[in-house]
Amino acid sequence: MQFLTVSDEVVPAVYSLNIKERFSQVQIVLGCGDLPYYYLEFIVTMLGLPCFYVYGNHDTVEQTSGGEVLYGARGCTLVEDRVINHQGWLIGGLGGSIRYNDDEAPQYTDQQMLMRIWKMTPQLLLNKVRHGRHIDILLTHSPPIGIHNGPDRPHRGFKAFLNFMDRFQPRYLIHGHIHRSYGFSPVTETRYKDTLVVNTAGHRLLTAQLGNEAPTSSTLDGKII
């Protein structure tokens, strides 16, 4: 299964009339926040594929030129605080960033993120009974603390995500928020116990199979990481 993962930046190679030829092998699109809704809608329309996504800390209500108020990307599936089963893949989401100001944006304290995880726990435990695993892919906007995160408060990761990986062992945690242009770290993939943590700021291609094999690496700008 090949995934196109996107977040934070409108990438010309993706927002292109050649998208169908360029990403012909992709089967699922995953979004990790801070993208204009039209961008996600363009991708799913052109590729004719399902898209699952979470909010970033800058996502808000949008209004079209025709006056329609949008609370999300049309034709895409928001997976905040839940896990969906798509063709056998268990995909869940915990978007937003660490709280760093008083804006009404998707920002949370570590304690609030822990509460969101607790709310997801019954579904995760049920997945373990039904499918033998809690979750395959966790989509987030921010990284876990200490992995790919930045030195300033807005780009600090969540400690709660370390607890999530310890307890529920997702094969992948895919996040955005940490633009490569920030220069915080050249590292964009880190293995934490059973989980491959991937920074997808911009876009990436991720090839993965269901099963017991170790998570595989992804490609960034066409290069194997």
Side-chain angles (χ1 to χ4, degrees), residues 30-93:
L30 303 174
C32 291
D34 278 358
L35 290 170
Y37 298 149
Y38 74 80
Y39 182 62
L40 292 178
E41 294 171 2
F42 172 84
I43 294 171
V44 298
T45 299
M46 294 296 287
L47 295 181
L49 297 173
C51 172
F52 306 99
Y53 75 105
V54 294
Y55 292 131
N57 57 305
H58 296 300
D59 284 323
T60 184
V61 175
E62 297 183 7
Q63 190 167 12
T64 68
S65 57
E68 182 181 1
V69 177
L70 301 179
Y71 296 91
R74 294 166 294 188
C76 304
T77 302
L78 187 68
V79 292
E80 292 280 8
D81 304 313
R82 65 190 180 117
V83 183
I84 60 93
N85 184 339
H86 179 77
Q87 297 182 357
W89 286 90
L90 304 176
I91 303 171

Side-chain angles (χ1 to χ4, degrees), residues 36 120 158 163 184:
M120 289 176 69
F158 281 103
N163 296 333
F184 293 150

Side-chain angles (χ1 to χ4, degrees), residues 91-102:
I91 303 171
L94 292 166
S97 74
I98 199 80
R99 178 155 291 286
Y100 57 91
N101 61 28
D102 293 330

Side-chain angles (χ1 to χ4, degrees), residues 189-209:
E189 288 196 4
T190 299
R191 191 174 302 279
Y192 177 85
K193 298 184 177 177
D194 296 324
T195 304
L196 186 65
V197 181
V198 179
N199 178 10
T200 190
H203 82 293
R204 303 183 77 130
L205 289 173
L206 176 69
T207 301
Q209 301 294 329

